[in-house]
């Protein structure tokens, strides 16, 4: 059977090309990956967040979250490094690996003390198609996140990072016509799917 699977065209985007999108996004929009309250700096292109209030006092805890650029893995490529719980990238799925630094500021404003820690994150997801107005787009959507380095707080960080990473991924949606590399109207016949390390679609011209 030909690569087009008897449809009129086939198109694919490699894992390396999607990685370039993440690299450029973090360079051009650091605020999607950096979050900081003003007391810990709130500079360097970070998104400003509110500090955490301490109940019963008029004090608060400043904090920051800094996400590295995610490394993308398309099925059938396994995670590298391997996760402690052996998270697997299933058939037709994608994976992300990244490191996250979190910092808290304690003490007085005149003598602050920073407490920082680094987390390792493995996430697995799938592709979805949706419409944004009249534009059809392909989205990467995470289903699960595994965190190492947070101890008994792992479940909390996994919940927060699942929401945060999916928010970032929503900003990397690709118009279906861009994936197909055509300005001609077409009907999506099959896909998008992940196979052989590429995001693939098949279609027929209208």
């Amino acid at each position: 059977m030909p690569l087009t699977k008897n449809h009129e065209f086939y198109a694919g985007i490699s894992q390396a090309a999607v990685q370039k999108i993440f690299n450029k996004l973090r360079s051009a929009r650091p605020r999607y990956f950096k979050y900081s309250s003003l007391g810990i700096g709130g500079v360097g292109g970070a998104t400003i967040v509110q500090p955490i209030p301490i109940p019963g006092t008029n004090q608060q805890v400043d904090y920051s979250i800094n996400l590295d650029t995610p490394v993308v893995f398309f099925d059938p490529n396994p995670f590298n490094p391997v996760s402690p719980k052996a998270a697997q990238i299933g058939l037709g799925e994608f994976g992300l690996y990244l490191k996250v630094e979190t910092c808290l500021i304690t003490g007085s404003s005149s003598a602050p003390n920073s407490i920082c820690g680094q987390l390792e994150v493995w996430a697995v997801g799938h592709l979805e198609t949706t419409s944004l107005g009249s534009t059809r787009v392909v989205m990467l959507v995470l289903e699960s996140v595994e965190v190492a380095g947070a101890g008994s707080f792992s479940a909390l960080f996994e919940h927060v990072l699942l929401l945060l990473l999916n928010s970032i991924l929503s900003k990397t949606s690709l118009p279906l016509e861009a994936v197909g590399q055509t300005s001609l109207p077409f009907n999506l016949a099959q896909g998008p799917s992940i196979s052989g390390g590429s995001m693939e679609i098949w279609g027929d011209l209208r």
Side-chain angles (χ1 to χ4, degrees), residues 12-181:
I13 295 181
S14 68
Q15 173 183 306
V18 174
Q19 185 65 59
K20 288 181 179 179
I21 294 174
F22 278 105
N23 296 346
K24 289 184 178 295
L25 180 66
R26 194 178 188 283
S27 176
R29 298 288 187 271
R31 66 180 182 273
Y32 294 159
F33 298 85
K34 298 180 180 181
Y35 303 85
S36 174
S37 55
L38 288 173
I40 203 170
V43 295
T47 295
I48 303 301
V49 294
Q50 295 298 314
I52 304 169
I54 301 176
T57 75
N58 61 356
Q59 299 182 47
Q60 54 197 14
V61 176
D62 287 288
Y63 71 98
S64 67
I65 302 174
N66 187 9
L67 287 73
D68 282 351
T69 304
V71 179
V72 183
F73 299 89
F74 277 0
D75 165 49
N77 299 316
F79 277 119
N80 182 19
V82 177
S83 76
K85 297 180 182 177
Q88 299 293 319
I89 302 170
L91 184 65
E93 294 182 328
F94 70 93
L96 298 180
Y97 169 79
L98 66 151
K99 292 183 178 180
V100 179
E101 183 183 64
T102 61
C103 291
L104 300 175
I105 290 290
T106 62
S108 66
S109 57
S110 59
N113 180 46
S114 62
I115 303 172
C116 297
Q118 190 172 80
L119 309 175
E120 288 188 275
V121 180
W122 295 262
V124 177
H126 64 278
L127 301 179
E128 289 185 3
T129 56
T130 188
S131 295
L132 296 178
S134 59
T135 303
R136 298 175 298 172
V137 298
V138 181
M139 297 184 64
L140 285 76
V141 179
L142 293 177
E143 303 163 359
S144 63
V145 170
E146 178 185 326
V147 170
S152 58
F153 288 98
S154 291
L156 171 62
F157 277 101
E158 286 167 357
H159 174 70
V160 171
L161 287 169
L162 179 63
L163 298 175
L164 181 55
L165 289 170
N166 270 328
S167 175
I168 295 172
L169 289 176
S170 70
K171 299 172 177 62
T172 65
S173 57
L174 298 170
L176 203 57
E177 284 69 18
V179 178
Q181 301 178 32

